[in-house]
Amino acid sequence: RRGNRRKHYRIVFKGKAGQALHDISSPREYFTGLLGGVKALRALRKAGYIHRDLSTGNVLLVKGDQGKADHGVLIDLEYAKRFPDTGEESHNVRTGTFEFMACEVDARDFLFLPDTSDDTVVPWFHNPIHDIESIWWIAVWDYRHVNATMRSLFRDLAGRSNFVHSPSFFLRKCPEIPTNVRHSLHAWLVSIRSQYTELESLVPKQSHRTFDYNSVFEAAIRFIEAILKEQAFTFPAEAERPAGFTDGLPPKRQKVQKQDDEDSS
């Protein structure tokens, strides 16, 4: 029969169970969990994989005990794929949770290629920068209530693409986010855009395999650690959220499949 051949399994963690990020109200705990998620992505990359399905439900905060610190863990490796693997057939499925999907993943196309007369065609491929862009959208998820622009972002991939292409738009449109946190998130988004530009400048020359993906994870870790150094910051309280805006449910995964993706998982 045609269709996805999927493996169903359970991951058992030794010790305490974690709490999904969308169930956490403390910014410090939220970003602590997110930091652990990025470190887990870095470890996954060193093992030769990318995740491809980041969401607030796939990063958990595990509370420390017996003197151990709180830390984040990464789950749901169902759509993890070996990387590098730039074969066109291995990237023909758009995976991810809609609210956090990287813009290029939605388009399944390079969006930062340089203007060039070179007509060499390199098939689009899912790469670690897409996972880190998803992490950035998770980072701003709990600020989605602050104004109309932020509320619309998680329903509108075109609006998110505007943010990635012009990070200053985020800086101007979101003054309600605490200043230092907003500037750290803006600098991080500028870094992500620069990483896309650097990688895709190598694509026409077919030298993109030389790109240093480790720098992508190190930058994300550095920006999240800067946010965690803030002495006091909060997510919008329920009372501060606009009337009639009741999206309390966690995001739902939406996957679009065009062809079989037989080697997923």
Side-chain angles (χ1 to χ4, degrees):
R1 295 179 180 178
R2 291 186 57 80
N4 248 0
R5 294 183 287 179
R6 301 175 63 185
K7 297 178 182 178
H8 295 270
Y9 58 91
R10 298 291 183 269
I11 298 176
V12 179
F13 289 96
K14 183 178 180 180
K16 290 186 175 181
Q19 185 178 20
L21 292 189
H22 54 239
D23 292 327
I24 293 174
S25 58
S26 161
R28 197 160 302 282
E29 291 183 349
Y30 190 92
F31 281 99
T32 296
L34 199 61
L35 179 62
V38 173
K39 290 180 177 179
L41 282 176
R42 181 178 61 182
L44 196 65
R45 167 71 186 94
K46 288 181 178 178
Y49 288 85
I50 50 178
H51 191 279
R52 304 198 308 161
D53 187 19
L54 276 302
S55 73
T56 54
N58 290 344
V59 182
L60 310 181
L61 177 75
V62 178
K63 301 292 288 184
D65 55 7
Q66 299 179 350
K68 295 182 179 179
D70 296 353
H71 62 280
V73 299
L74 183 64
I75 65 169
D76 196 351
L77 306 180
E78 178 184 0
Y79 284 89
K81 181 177 285 294
R82 287 197 174 276
F83 184 85
D85 177 9
T86 56
E88 185 172 8
E89 291 182 0
S90 68
H91 296 268
N92 58 12
V93 173
R94 181 169 54 203
T95 64
T97 302
F98 177 82
E99 288 85 351
F100 313 112
M101 187 181 291
C103 299
E104 285 197 347
V105 174
D106 177 63
R108 280 171 299 165
D109 196 6
F110 298 113
L111 301 180
F112 297 87
L113 286 172
D115 293 329
T116 176
S117 58
D118 190 344
D119 58 359
T120 301
V121 176
V122 176
W124 177 84
F125 54 91
H126 205 137
N127 66 71
I129 307 177
H130 299 133
D131 279 355
I132 292 299
E133 184 190 331
S134 291
I135 288 288
W136 192 89
W137 294 116
I138 294 172
V140 299
W141 165 253
D142 253 328
Y143 290 111
R144 67 195 181 282
H145 303 286
V146 298
N147 59 38
T149 298
M150 290 298 291
R151 289 197 299 277
S152 67
L153 273 182
F154 294 95
R155 307 186 187 109
D156 179 17
L157 275 162
R160 298 217 295 274
S161 181
N162 288 338
F163 268 38
V164 178
H165 280 88
S166 302
S168 60
F169 190 68
F170 165 74
L171 200 60
R172 295 194 308 271
K173 291 291 185 178
C174 304
E176 297 88 351
I177 297 176
T179 301
N180 290 342
V181 174
R182 186 171 82 254
H183 281 279
S184 290
L185 289 168
H186 168 255
W188 183 7
L189 190 57
V190 169
S191 173
I192 290 171
R193 185 191 61 182
S194 297
Q195 290 156 0
Y196 276 127
T197 302
E198 181 181 352
L199 170 64
E200 295 177 21
S201 70
L202 302 173
V203 168
K205 308 169 189 175
Q206 300 194 47
S207 55
H208 48 277
R209 288 179 180 267
T210 64
F211 183 80
D212 177 21
Y213 287 106
N214 189 58
S215 64
V216 176
F217 299 106
E218 295 303 324
I221 289 170
R222 185 170 67 253
F223 287 117
I224 295 175
E225 287 177 340
I227 291 171
L228 284 169
K229 288 179 181 177
E230 292 300 310
Q231 294 301 310
F233 63 102
T234 60
F235 290 142
E238 290 292 340
E240 298 171 346
R241 297 176 180 180
F245 190 70
T246 55
D247 68 337
L249 296 176
K252 294 181 179 180
R253 177 183 302 150
Q254 297 183 15
K255 295 184 173 64
V256 180
Q257 179 178 335
K258 295 299 183 183
Q259 299 180 31
D260 293 347
D261 191 16
E262 296 182 351
D263 60 343
S264 289
S265 75

